[in-house]
């Protein structure tokens, strides 16, 4: 599943977000190659700018626990914006390891 599947994983993350009612305003990604224990890995780091209500955000974040990829949540920042209440703006930074 992870072998060379960078874009598939990014697309699946977007689909997962939409499924839970999280609107992706933008997504930036960066990549770097790592060598660990004789293996060559790509580290893909998506940064997702999102709008959602708290329940949708909670469900999406919880779904990452069972997402079929090796990923870490680097950071999650959420702020309230009076213009879009009851929704909030969030910034999620992930690291995904791809063989």
């Amino acid at each position: 599943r992870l072998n060379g599947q960078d874009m598939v994983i990014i697309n699946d993350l977007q689909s997962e977000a939409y499924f839970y009612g999280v609107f992706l305003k933008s997504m930036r990604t960066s990549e770097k190659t790592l060598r660990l224990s004789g293996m060559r890995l790509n580290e893909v780091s998506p940064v997702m700018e999102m709008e959602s209500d708290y329940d949708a955000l909670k469900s999406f974040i919880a779904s990452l626990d069972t997402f079929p990829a090796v990923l870490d949540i680097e950071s999650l920042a959420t702020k309230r914006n009076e213009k879009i209440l009851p929704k909030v703006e969030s910034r999620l930074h992930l690291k995904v390891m791809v063989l």
Side-chain angles (χ1 to χ4, degrees):
R1 156 102 179 145
L2 299 181
N3 189 14
Q5 299 294 318
D6 306 22
M7 290 311 299
V8 171
I9 291 169
I10 297 300
N11 289 337
D12 286 352
L13 280 170
Q14 289 175 320
S15 296
E16 190 86 357
Y18 288 127
F19 176 79
Y20 287 103
V22 175
F23 172 71
L24 286 172
K25 293 171 29 176
S26 69
M27 181 188 292
R28 296 182 320 273
T29 60
S30 62
E31 289 186 47
K32 67 179 177 181
T33 302
L34 305 172
R35 292 205 178 269
L36 299 172
S37 302
M39 293 178 61
R40 184 175 162 246
L41 302 171
N42 283 341
E43 180 185 272
V44 179
S45 295
V47 177
M48 306 164 74
E49 303 284 340
M50 310 174 289
E51 281 184 11
S52 66
D53 62 31
Y54 283 109
D55 287 334
L57 180 63
K58 175 185 151 200
S59 297
F60 173 58
I61 297 299
S63 77
L64 296 178
D65 188 42
T66 58
F67 193 77
V70 178
L71 61 82
D72 284 326
I73 296 175
E74 289 295 303
S75 65
L76 173 63
T78 301
K79 68 179 180 176
R80 190 175 130 160
N81 181 339
E82 297 288 331
K83 294 178 184 176
I84 62 170
L85 284 177
K87 294 183 178 182
V88 293
E89 295 177 329
S90 300
R91 182 177 182 269
L92 176 63
H93 179 197
L94 301 172
K95 289 206 178 193
V96 182
M97 296 303 207
V98 181
L99 299 174

